[in-house]
Amino acid sequence: MKLVVKNIIIMCLLSVVFSLFGCSPQPAKTVSEISSISITQNHMNRAYCYAFSAYEDNDKYFFNAWCVLKDGENGSKEVDIQNIEITEAEFSEFKRLNEKYGFADYAKRNNNKKYNISDKTTNSFKVCFGGKTLTLKTDNECYDAVYDYFITLTTKETLNTLFRDGIIVC
């Protein structure tokens, strides 16, 4: 009987030790693991809506954008770019932003609140690290920096398209 009690105590102690030290979860993110990133905004006025994403697929990098860019003082141009290949250096800018801001620090807690307000402006910010997707907060300088970089990519790709199609000639 004493042997059984000793074994039970040893097993309990071992399970406590292994649960504390043996099976700790690995960090969900590393700088090099960003596989995709996206931001969106929905608004009642179409001019304020946008959707941007960039992702890696088989060691190639792609970019998508839908937005309205200001064109001159009073005009605007709707831009719809789908699966445009970008360079690894361009995609690496998102990794640099992750190093600077630490995207995981802006992760939302699992919040199951559902809003059904049809005229409310809504934003979304998601980053995928390998197979784990984080939904991030959107009211901060991190989101603003990612938005600014997406606008930079969109402007560059729009100008490249206009030059390529001969609409702008220097």
Coordinates of all heavy atoms in Angstrom, one line a residue, residues 1 4 6 9 16 22 26 35 47-50 53 68 72 87 91 94 104 109 121 133 143 168:
M1 N 0.8 -1.2 0.0 CA 0.0 0.0 0.0 C 0.9 1.3 0.0 O 0.6 2.2 -0.7 CB -0.9 -0.1 1.2 CG -1.9 1.0 1.2 SD -3.1 0.7 -0.2 CE -4.5 1.4 0.4
V4 N 2.2 2.0 -3.5 CA 1.1 2.6 -4.3 C 1.0 4.1 -4.0 O 1.0 4.9 -5.0 CB -0.2 1.9 -4.2 CG1 -1.3 2.6 -4.9 CG2 -0.1 0.4 -4.6
K6 N 3.3 6.1 -2.7 CA 4.6 6.7 -3.2 C 4.5 6.9 -4.7 O 4.9 8.0 -5.2 CB 5.8 5.9 -2.8 CG 6.2 6.0 -1.4 CD 7.5 5.2 -1.2 CE 7.9 5.2 0.2 NZ 9.2 4.4 0.5
I9 N 2.2 9.8 -5.6 CA 2.8 11.1 -5.2 C 3.9 11.4 -6.3 O 3.9 12.6 -6.7 CB 3.4 11.0 -3.8 CG1 2.2 11.0 -2.8 CG2 4.3 12.2 -3.5 CD1 2.7 10.7 -1.3
V16 N 3.1 17.7 -12.4 CA 3.2 19.2 -12.2 C 4.5 19.7 -12.8 O 4.4 20.8 -13.4 CB 3.2 19.4 -10.6 CG1 3.6 20.9 -10.3 CG2 1.9 19.1 -10.0
G22 N 7.7 21.3 -19.3 CA 7.9 20.5 -20.4 C 7.2 20.8 -21.7 O 7.6 20.6 -22.8
Q26 N 5.2 27.3 -28.0 CA 6.2 28.1 -28.7 C 5.7 29.5 -29.0 O 4.5 29.6 -29.3 CB 6.7 27.3 -29.9 CG 7.3 26.0 -29.6 CD 8.6 26.1 -28.8 OE1 9.4 27.0 -29.0 NE2 8.7 25.3 -27.8
S35 N 3.7 35.6 -43.4 CA 3.3 35.0 -44.7 C 2.2 35.8 -45.4 O 2.1 35.7 -46.6 CB 2.9 33.6 -44.6 OG 1.8 33.5 -43.7
A47 N -15.5 56.4 -51.4 CA -14.2 57.0 -51.5 C -13.3 56.8 -50.2 O -12.1 56.9 -50.3 CB -14.4 58.5 -51.7
Y48 N -13.9 56.4 -49.1 CA -13.2 56.1 -47.9 C -13.0 54.6 -47.7 O -12.4 54.2 -46.6 CB -13.9 56.7 -46.7 CG -14.0 58.2 -46.8 CD1 -15.2 58.8 -47.0 CD2 -12.8 59.0 -46.7 CE1 -15.3 60.2 -47.1 CE2 -12.9 60.4 -46.8 CZ -14.1 61.0 -47.0 OH -14.2 62.3 -47.1
C49 N -13.4 53.8 -48.6 CA -13.2 52.3 -48.4 C -11.9 51.9 -49.1 O -11.4 52.5 -50.0 CB -14.3 51.6 -49.2 SG -16.0 51.8 -48.5
Y50 N -11.3 50.9 -48.5 CA -10.1 50.3 -49.1 C -9.8 48.9 -48.6 O -10.4 48.5 -47.6 CB -8.8 51.2 -48.8 CG -8.5 51.5 -47.4 CD1 -7.9 50.5 -46.6 CD2 -8.9 52.7 -46.8 CE1 -7.7 50.8 -45.2 CE2 -8.6 53.0 -45.5 CZ -8.0 52.0 -44.7 OH -7.7 52.3 -43.4
S53 N -3.7 43.9 -49.4 CA -3.1 42.7 -48.8 C -1.8 42.4 -49.6 O -1.6 42.8 -50.7 CB -4.1 41.5 -49.0 OG -4.3 41.1 -50.3
V68 N -9.4 54.2 -53.5 CA -9.6 55.4 -54.3 C -8.4 56.3 -53.9 O -8.3 56.7 -52.8 CB -10.9 56.1 -54.0 CG1 -11.1 57.4 -54.8 CG2 -12.1 55.1 -54.4
G72 N -4.9 64.6 -58.2 CA -5.0 66.1 -58.4 C -5.7 66.7 -57.2 O -5.9 66.0 -56.1
T87 N 8.7 42.6 -55.2 CA 10.0 42.0 -54.8 C 10.0 41.6 -53.4 O 9.2 42.0 -52.6 CB 11.1 43.1 -55.1 OG1 11.0 44.1 -54.1 CG2 11.1 43.6 -56.5
F91 N 8.3 43.3 -49.9 CA 7.6 42.5 -48.9 C 8.3 42.6 -47.5 O 7.7 42.6 -46.5 CB 7.4 41.0 -49.3 CG 6.5 40.2 -48.5 CD1 5.1 40.3 -48.6 CD2 7.0 39.4 -47.5 CE1 4.2 39.6 -47.8 CE2 6.1 38.7 -46.7 CZ 4.7 38.8 -46.8
F94 N 7.3 44.9 -44.6 CA 6.4 44.5 -43.6 C 7.1 43.8 -42.4 O 6.7 44.0 -41.3 CB 5.3 43.6 -44.2 CG 4.4 44.3 -45.2 CD1 4.5 43.9 -46.5 CD2 3.6 45.3 -44.8 CE1 3.7 44.5 -47.5 CE2 2.8 45.9 -45.8 CZ 2.8 45.5 -47.1
A104 N 2.4 41.5 -32.8 CA 1.7 40.7 -31.8 C 1.3 41.5 -30.6 O 0.3 41.1 -29.9 CB 2.6 39.5 -31.4
R109 N -7.7 40.7 -28.1 CA -8.2 39.6 -27.3 C -9.4 39.0 -28.1 O -10.1 39.7 -28.8 CB -8.6 40.0 -25.9 CG -7.4 40.6 -25.1 CD -7.1 39.6 -24.0 NE -6.2 40.1 -23.0 CZ -4.9 40.3 -23.1 NH1 -4.4 40.1 -24.3 NH2 -4.1 40.7 -22.1
T121 N -18.2 53.0 -39.7 CA -16.9 52.7 -40.4 C -16.2 51.6 -39.6 O -16.1 51.6 -38.4 CB -16.0 54.0 -40.4 OG1 -16.7 55.0 -41.1 CG2 -14.7 53.7 -41.1
T133 N -3.0 33.2 -37.6 CA -3.4 34.5 -38.0 C -3.8 35.3 -36.8 O -4.5 34.8 -35.9 CB -4.6 34.4 -38.9 OG1 -4.3 33.7 -40.1 CG2 -5.1 35.8 -39.4
Y143 N -0.9 50.4 -37.3 CA -1.8 50.4 -38.4 C -1.6 51.5 -39.4 O -1.6 51.2 -40.6 CB -3.3 50.4 -37.8 CG -4.3 50.4 -38.9 CD1 -4.8 49.2 -39.3 CD2 -4.9 51.5 -39.5 CE1 -5.8 49.1 -40.3 CE2 -5.8 51.5 -40.4 CZ -6.3 50.3 -40.8 OH -7.3 50.2 -41.8
I168 N 1.0 57.4 -69.5 CA 1.9 58.4 -69.1 C 3.2 58.2 -69.9 O 3.8 57.1 -69.9 CB 2.2 58.4 -67.6 CG1 1.0 58.7 -66.8 CG2 3.3 59.4 -67.3 CD1 1.2 58.7 -65.3

